[in-house]
Each structure stands twice: as structure tokens, then as C-alpha cells.
Amino acid sequence: MTIAFVVFLLGILPWLSSRDPALAILRARSAEQEATPEALGAIRQELGLDAGPFAVFVGWFGRVLTGDWGVSWVSGRPVLPGMVHAMLVSLSLMAAAFGVALVVAVALNVATLRRGLNGQAARTSGAMAATLTSLPEFLLSALLLVVGAVWLRWFPPYGWSGASSAVLPALALGVPAGGLLGRLVSDSLASALSEQWVATWIVSGYSRRTIALNALRRSLPSVLPQLALVLVGLVGGAIAVERVFAIPGIGRATLGGVAAQDVPTIQAGVMLLMVLSTVLGAAAGVLRHVLLGPAMRAAAVPVAAPTSATTRRAWLVPAASLLALAGLIVAGLPRDAYSSAHARLAPPSGAIPFRADASGRDLLARVAHGALTTIGTATLVTAVCLAAGLVIGLCGPAARGPIEVAKAVPPVIAGLVVVALMGASGAGAAIAVGAVGWAPLAAHTAALISEARAQAHVEIAPVLGTGRVRTMLKHILPAVVGPIVRHAALRLPGTALALAALGFLGMGPQPPHPDWGLVLAEGMAYVERAPAAVLGPVGALVLLSVSAVSLSGMSAGLRRRTEAV
């Protein structure tokens, strides 16, 4: 039902579009023709826009089923052939990135596996995996572009012309995915290697290869459900990577359609991106079924042993990152973020520690002021997601479908639809992130409610004459609200990063707003002349990213309950 609603929304985009479709098509067909009411009316009648949204959808969906995905309002050419070619480019990029992710994941688990096979206490991948995971694709793309293409000049900075062009984009997309995958495998593998059977097998003389293979197989149940999230994450990340490195993939093509308000291109791009996300998620599910099918049918799937509780030392990294970020904000807030009082791209000095941007504005001031709006908006979005998650989670099995669909849609794809409807703005970015951000909280709420209802004192409440409403208010909600609020708080930095990513892609606040993503995007245009122009916003984003990943690692128990839904 949720997928059908999204498809319907895409089908009526011309009817909902903030740009007049008739005027756009008239200009694409003839730049000289006068936009008279008669000419525009004839085009509206041709498109059937006057017939209402349902007629527009039926006409569009019927054409889609026959292979006619529309004609670009800008170029006047059919959109499907070009978008299919762009999809093939994106698939090549994602395949290369997945190869990088596998290499990174294997490298992160070598030490864990070696210690376990030597009979020592197996440790998880720890700080290295957290560091790799903490770099969002758009941020890592900027760093790799500065280092690999500008400073070292080892790889081309832009384009898609050969194997050398794929190196930096594949690293930018694959390293964070590999860090996440390696982290998941390492946690599960360390748990498996700490079990008694490993020591027994070592003493019994089993080969290291046999023990390693069985330990990896023992680790699969807790890792495979997350593989779909890793694969879907590649789809969302590819859009940002294609934008930075000017790769002619489907993400960049769809962003171009958004910038031009070319609705047929947006429709085709979002549809193909959703199909790609769905297929990758389904492929991960099939892989899980193939590998674990016999054990699942026999009800013999092993459950990973619980990990140790969070220690006080685990708070050091996020606390240090947040403290450094707070210092940066305090230092920059007294400065003017909009005044062009300095020379264009002026180098760092005592007056402008982060240098000036291309308009002569103080970058430290812009980063500090941008922090307030970015984090403030993230707080508001998180609060809305918390409320929505609690309400929808109370719906039980009826909410399973919408939750699964929302979890499988990256915020970037939601942003493409929102921008097509209402244009690029800070409010639009907040709506896009909120449209999918409630799903993990709703899934966690549903899981906790199931656990609460299974408790003895709740099950016996109806027998004692306690009504359903009183049982919910007195026994169930108090057990749910606390953990969900903590879960939402831990998701706050990640929400801020998602908003920054949309700003970086041009789908958030518009100039001269000091949004973090927008400030970084403005600096990227001058990265070859002044690489330091991107290092200020990059530093702030790195601090926030490290905080987000560290806090999310401390909420692993919350995520495990979420996956049970």
C-alpha cells in the first residue's frame, strides 16, 4: 500500500509541480513562441492536467507500462533511454564500491579472527571501523577529491572515462559501507569466538580453517538482516558521490532534473532508484534465505550471545567530539556570517582562522551559525519522528508494511520527491528526513510493546478488570517511552548529517544561508584553487559524524530490538 501511494505521488507530479508544465514544455519546444493563454491551454489539454490528479496518474501509469516514460521538458527527448544508460553507470559504480566494502570488511576482521583462533579474548574492530563508518559519502568524497586529485594528482577529479576515474568514487562510496559491514561482522564474530565450543574445538585439534568457517557461519544470523541496509545505503550514497565527481549516473541525472524542475526526468529517476533499492533489499533477503533456510525451517538458527554493557570509557569519544564542536560554535557565533568584509578566498589568518569563502565571508562564522540551524532543525525533526514513531508503533502489525518501506528509502530519494513538489528549502529537507526518519523508532516501539504485553502482570490485567486503555497508559507506555526517547536522542547527530547531505546536494536551504552542507558545496567549486575552503566545514562534519557513529554503537541493543520487528 505504501509503495502504491509513492507511485501515485510520482504519477501526479506534473499536476502538483510548482512549475507550470505547460510553460516548461512550450519553452522546450520553441524558445521563440509567445506564451499565450491559448498556447498554454492547448498543452495543458494535451497533458490532461485539467482532468484532475487521477486522470493524470492513469495516463502516466498506462504509458509507463508500455515503455513510454515521457519526454524531457528541457531537451524534448524521451527520458527512459538516457536514464537507463545512467542506471548502468551507477550500477558499475556501486559494484566497484561493494568490492571495496568487502575488502575493508575483511581487513577489519583479520585481527578479531586471529585473536579468537589463538584462544585469546576476541575484540571487535573498535575505533578503526567506527572512524571509517563515521565519514558520510559526500564528506569522504570531498576529502578524497582534495587529497587524491588536487594535492597528489594521482587520479582525475571529475568524469567517468576509465578505471582511474572509478578509484576515488568507489573508495568514497565503499569505505563507509565497508566500515559498517566490518563493524557488524566483527561484533558478531567476536561474540561467536568467545563461546565455549571454540575452546573445546581448539583443544580437540580441529583445524583453524574449520573453526574459522564455523565461527563465520555462526555470525551470519545477526549480520544478514543488516546487509539489505548496507546495499540500500549504496544507492543513497551514490547520488552524492556522482554529484561530487560529475559521474553521469542516475543520481546526478535526477538531481539535474530537480534543478531544472524537469518533472518527467524526476519521475523516471526516482522510480528507477526506488526499483534499485527494492531489488537490492530483496536480493539481501534471498541471500539470507539461501544461507539460513535449512536452519530457519528447523528452528535452529543460533542467536548471538549478548555483548557487554556500555562502559564509562565508551563515552569519551562522543563526549570529546561534541566538546570540540561546542568550542568551534562558541568561537564562531560572535562573528558575522553574512558580511563580505574579506578578500575573495583570503587565506587563514588571526582574523579568519578558517579563511574566507568565494564571497569574502568568514568561514568560521558561517560554520558556527550553520551549526545552530542544522542541529536545531535536526532536534525538531527528531522530536517529530519520536512522536510519529510512538503513534505508528502502537498500530502493531498494521504498521509493518509502511515501516519496512520507509526503512528502505534513503533520505536523499525522499528529498528528490519533496523538492519536486515544493522546491528546495530548509523546510523541504526537514520534511524529507522526517518522512523516513520515524521508521526505526516505530519499529523499536512495536518491538518494545510486544515485549511489554508478554509480561505476566500485563497479561493478567484484563482478568483483574483493568481496561485496555488503562493497561496501555499504566503498564505498557511507561515501559516504552523511556527507551524510545533515548533511542531518538542517539539518532540526533545522524539526523543532522542527513540534513547536511541534502543541503550539500542543493535540496536544503539556499544561499546565502550558512547551512553546513551548502557551505561545503560552495567550497567544492574552488577546491583546486583553495582546498582549505572545504576543510572548515569538513572538520565540523567529521566531529558530528564521529559523535553520531559512537553514539549509535552504544545503542546496539536498541537496534537489535528494532530488527526483530
Side-chain angles (χ1 to χ4, degrees), residues 346-355:
S349 64
I352 44 173
F354 279 10
R355 81 176 300 136

Side-chain angles (χ1 to χ4, degrees), residues 141-142 145 158 244 504 519-528 534:
S141 296
L145 186 62
Y158 308 111
V244 172
F504 176 79
V519 171
L520 179 57
E522 291 172 342
M524 291 297 297
Y526 307 94
V527 67
E528 294 191 57
V534 304

Side-chain angles (χ1 to χ4, degrees), residues 12 48 77 104 251 277 311-312 397 474 477 521 525:
I12 63 173
R77 300 192 187 99
V104 172
S277 296
T311 62
R312 292 184 178 180
K474 185 176 180 180
L477 282 182

